[in-house]
Amino acid sequence: MSWIYPLLAHRSIIKLLLFINIAGTIYGYYWYGWQLKETPAIFLAFVPDSPTASLFFVFVLIAFLLRRNWPLIEALAIVTLFKYGIWAVVMNILVYFVQGELDAVGYMLIFSHFAMAVQGILYAPFYRFKWWHLIITAVWTLHNDVIDYVFFMLPSYHMLDRYTPQIGYFTFWLSIFSIALAYYFSIRSNRYKLEIK
């Protein structure tokens, strides 16, 4: 697996991923457009989960191109990329089982969100965040769950509405797992660690 890291650290790959993530972020905010129009202003930052996660990663990649680390953004990126990447994969699979079919957009969302989760983890050896960055990220992430499932600002999958309590419970534990994963890959003392050159 170590063969992949020199490739990931290559500036041309980082630039390519930057372009892909900028495009995905723009599309993501567009996808949420109708829901954002109906969202009270106080909740706007907490509704477009996936594009905000990829936006964090856009800034991580920009920092790498500048040969820098922005630790808080890195912590926010790894946790939210994994959490919302896996969340969207699971939700679209649930849509398939509830409806008995999934359209092309659903399959695209599964593929793109799985890739989102993977990229956040793959770049973990290059991150430099500390405990306090992860604590702030944990507060942000769990607060987002409260906004979604107490104030019902979650992404709208109307065909799954009757499962909202179960989805909320799953999402809470996915948040905890994502935070733990960020610790495992980026903070523990014997973690795999690399430099962007």
Side-chain angles (χ1 to χ4, degrees):
M1 186 68 177
S2 60
W3 61 269
I4 200 170
Y5 289 109
L7 189 63
L8 292 175
H10 199 280
R11 292 180 70 81
S12 60
I13 298 297
I14 294 173
K15 287 176 183 176
L16 176 62
L17 282 174
L18 178 60
F19 173 78
I20 292 169
N21 278 273
I22 288 172
T25 300
I26 292 168
Y27 175 77
Y29 284 116
Y30 169 78
W31 190 86
Y32 275 97
W34 67 270
Q35 188 172 351
L36 291 173
K37 287 177 185 175
E38 300 174 358
T39 300
I42 194 171
F43 296 130
L44 282 174
F46 303 100
V47 170
D49 299 321
S50 295
T52 301
S54 60
L55 181 62
F56 289 142
F57 197 60
V58 163
F59 286 110
V60 169
L61 294 172
I62 290 170
F64 287 169
L65 289 172
L66 297 172
R67 295 182 171 85
R68 298 185 61 184
N69 288 92
W70 294 334
L72 180 58
I73 303 299
E74 291 170 355
L76 286 162
I78 187 174
V79 171
T80 59
L81 283 172
F82 184 83
K83 173 188 174 182
Y84 295 116
I86 298 303
W87 187 91
V89 169
V90 172
M91 291 309 108
N92 280 281
I93 290 171
L94 280 177
V95 168
Y96 173 80
F97 282 109
V98 168
Q99 295 192 149
E101 61 180 6
L102 197 62
D103 61 15
V105 172
Y107 286 109
M108 179 275 291
L109 290 172
I110 288 175
F111 172 78
S112 61
H113 283 78
F114 182 74
M116 219 172 84
V118 170
Q119 72 178 354
I121 298 297
L122 280 178
Y123 274 91
F126 303 105
Y127 302 153
R128 294 294 179 269
F129 60 84
K130 302 187 185 304
W131 264 110
W132 72 269
H133 302 112
L134 188 57
I135 289 169
I136 292 171
T137 297
V139 170
W140 167 274
T141 304
L142 295 170
H143 178 257
N144 204 339
D145 289 346
V146 171
I147 299 300
D148 283 354
Y149 296 98
V150 173
F151 295 96
F152 299 104
M153 293 291 124
L154 65 157
S156 181
Y157 283 84
H158 62 87
M159 69 289 292
L160 301 179
D161 283 351
R162 66 182 180 273
Y163 303 110
T164 297
Q166 294 88 341
I167 291 170
Y169 184 75
F170 162 75
T171 303
F172 169 77
W173 285 109
L174 181 58
S175 294
I176 298 298
F177 182 72
S178 301
I179 294 161
L181 213 62
Y183 165 80
Y184 179 82
F185 283 112
S186 302
I187 293 181
R188 67 188 171 95
S189 57
N190 60 337
R191 76 183 185 97
Y192 190 49
K193 195 172 179 182
L194 294 169
E195 299 279 344
I196 294 283
K197 297 179 181 178

